[in-house]
Amino acid sequence: MSVLVTGGAGYIGSHCCVTFLEAGHDVVVLDNLSNSSAESLTRVAELTGRSVHFEQCDIRDRAHVETILRKHSCESVVHFAGLKAVGESVEDPLRYYENNVGGTVQLLSAMQACNVKTIIFSSSATVYGEPQSLPLREDHPTAPLNPYGESKLMVEQILKDLKTSDPEWRIAILRYFNPTGAHASGLIGEDPRGVPNNLMPFISQVASGRREVLSIFGDDYPTEDGTGVRDYIHVVDLVEGHLKAHEALIKPSEQLQANTSECLTVNLGTGTGYSVQEMVRAFERASNRAVATQIAPRRAGDSAEVYASTQKASDVLDWTAGRGLQDMCHDTWNWVCKNPKGYDDSAE
Ligand code: NAD
Ligand code: UFG
């Protein structure tokens, strides 16, 4: 009995492998390595003392996915595989719909053919769009602002329709806020290709001297210091939320059993927002390095303030994020110091 982790060589997926292996699950990773390196899985094995079965495969290749599900007797799937760059999704929407939506349809079809009907899906707080009320609750209206967010919402709808058509499916939709940090060992972490789009990888590359200056996108938002506020969540807390969701699907509580007609849709965030300036200061403290900043215009599509309601995750999954901002910054810095070029270092 194994758990199939699609996108398991990537940032969140590799941390998920560690948590699931440590919890005693057998893990099979399916990844096409389009945005990752198999070195992450070597590190996962090193960390856990357990092997990970790796299958290089594209989720759009339904026949291959079926073969893998059967070969390893998979009983559930944690589905991370997908493209995630917001700007790129605006420039090339078809690629995003084809990979994220089309790919997920192929994956679900393969699962159905193999009678594997338990899945956890990586959704995103981006499905809410511009917040109308804070903290964002799961019943907040959805209105994505870009094709990436639309692709996540489309998959959510497909999963809901699938559950309606066949209540045997057990489905968790997890809406992540802003994942950051790295495993405390510094062996695995986020390894973005090219110029990072996201704040924390950019800050850490300025601190390490790889980039000169962080552009702060707007200092005139209606927030305490004028810079954008987000709900940053430590990646290890995030994947522990997946383990809880997996347990809830496999052994549903009475409360969940009463709701078996629905997908389990839950936010994974901390409920606390930090501004860009606060993040910079926290990173400077953790790294003991200065981070040069300059004020730049607002980035199109950004909201002033985004943070989660964590009530449902606490009530239904019995999960709350335990790690704080210092852990996120410290663990990111530890990873960057040990792997200044990301996973490429080990190739040299
Ligand atoms: P990542 O790019 O590090 O990992 C995604 C993995 O999926 C990569 O290893 C990539 O090679 C693989 N992949 C992509 N398309 C594939 C395909 N067609 N077939 C097989 N493998 C494929 O990204 P991540 O940060 O670990 O994100 C994981 C998931 O979480 C994504 O679905 C992402 O949209 C979602 N998410 C991420 C964030 C974030 O800020 N990191 C926030 C919300 C949601
Ligand atoms: N920011 C900067 N400079 C940078 C990068 C970011 O000032 O170089 C600011 C942004 O304007 C924003 C904050 O830092 O105020 C966080 O930006 P990120 O790009 O790190 O994160 P976002 O909240 O914009 O989006 C992220 C992921 C999305 C995901 C969303 C979930 O990129 O994929 O979190 O809430 F959907």
Side-chain angles (χ1 to χ4, degrees):
M1 168 184 165
S2 310
V3 180
L4 182 75
V5 180
T6 76
Y11 170 45
I12 305 172
S14 56
H15 289 82
C16 184
C17 291
V18 171
T19 295
F20 274 62
L21 285 165
E22 285 176 349
H25 293 286
D26 288 328
V27 170
V28 180
V29 166
L30 182 165
D31 201 302
N32 66 1
L33 302 182
S34 59
N35 196 40
S36 53
S37 153
E39 171 63 18
S40 63
L41 299 177
T42 307
R43 307 278 183 96
V44 168
E46 192 182 325
L47 255 173
T48 58
R50 296 194 53 202
S51 61
V52 186
H53 305 280
F54 174 55
E55 301 279 1
Q56 187 159 355
C57 171
D58 194 297
I59 52 168
R60 290 166 291 184
D61 185 347
R62 176 182 162 177
H64 194 180
V65 177
E66 277 191 32
T67 306
I68 292 166
L69 286 168
R70 291 209 168 90
K71 176 177 160 193
H72 297 282
S73 307
C74 297
E75 290 203 343
S76 56
V77 173
V78 188
H79 177 32
F80 295 104
L83 302 173
K84 62 166 184 175
V86 170
E88 201 177 69
S89 80
V90 175
E91 282 157 25
D92 196 354
L94 293 182
R95 185 163 161 245
Y96 272 68
Y97 291 124
E98 207 240 328
N99 198 73
N100 294 3
V101 183
T104 302
V105 170
Q106 294 305 320
L107 171 70
L108 293 169
S109 305
M111 289 175 66
Q112 193 168 48
C114 299
N115 205 29
V116 178
K117 293 184 177 174
T118 301
I119 185 167
I120 297 176
F121 172 60
S122 298
S123 190
S124 166
T126 197
V127 298
Y128 296 117
E130 184 63 31
Q132 294 172 16
S133 56
L134 287 167
L136 283 162
R137 289 163 40 115
E138 288 80 354
D139 57 5
H140 184 283
T142 49
L145 299 170
N146 50 64
Y148 166 69
E150 291 287 3
S151 76
K152 291 290 175 191
L153 191 58
M154 285 177 191
V155 171
E156 288 198 6
Q157 187 59 51
I158 290 166
L159 291 168
K160 286 172 187 166
D161 293 341
L162 193 57
K163 176 77 181 165
T164 304
S165 75
D166 177 359
E168 276 185 13
W169 278 87
R170 297 173 181 209
I171 300 173
I173 294 168
L174 303 181
R175 293 176 174 162
Y176 313 160
F177 281 67
N178 291 56
T180 187
H183 191 272
S185 64
L187 279 177
I188 55 173
E190 188 170 12
D191 182 18
R193 295 189 171 170
V195 183
N197 296 308
N198 297 117
L199 181 66
M200 275 290 261
F202 208 106
I203 290 181
S204 63
Q205 292 192 4
V206 176
S208 69
R210 207 165 142 186
R211 303 199 183 271
E212 271 184 18
V213 60
L214 169 77
S215 291
I216 296 181
F217 299 142
D219 67 346
D220 55 354
Y221 284 108
T223 60
E224 205 148 296
D225 61 24
T227 64
V229 168
R230 294 291 182 276
D231 184 340
Y232 297 92
I233 173 168
H234 196 293
V235 64
V236 177
D237 281 329
L238 186 84
V239 296
E240 286 172 1
H242 289 63
L243 189 63
K244 289 284 196 174
H246 192 260
E247 284 166 11
L249 292 181
I250 302 290
K251 277 195 212 158
S253 64
E254 276 175 29
Q255 186 193 356
L256 274 183
Q257 269 169 352
N259 268 321
T260 45
S261 59
E262 288 175 16
C263 297
L264 176 62
T265 303
V266 183
N267 287 336
L268 294 182
T270 65
T272 302
Y274 290 105
S275 73
V276 177
Q277 296 280 26
E278 285 175 307
M279 295 304 286
V280 170
R281 280 197 297 273
F283 205 89
E284 288 184 327
R285 276 196 301 277
S287 63
N288 207 19
R289 297 277 179 99
V291 174
T293 61
Q294 64 187 14
I295 303 302
R298 290 182 181 190
R299 187 171 64 178
D302 273 357
S303 304
E305 204 167 2
V306 180
Y307 54 91
S309 163
T310 56
Q311 193 64 50
K312 191 168 175 189
S314 161
D315 291 349
V316 182
L317 299 182
D318 186 27
W319 171 88
T320 47
R323 293 164 181 84
L325 187 53
Q326 277 312 303
D327 299 313
M328 299 180 213
C329 295
H330 178 271
D331 292 341
T332 302
W333 184 238
N334 185 37
W335 152 254
V336 169
C337 291
K338 288 189 171 151
N339 306 270
K341 293 182 193 156
Y343 291 114
D344 275 355
D345 272 358
S346 20
E348 282 170 9

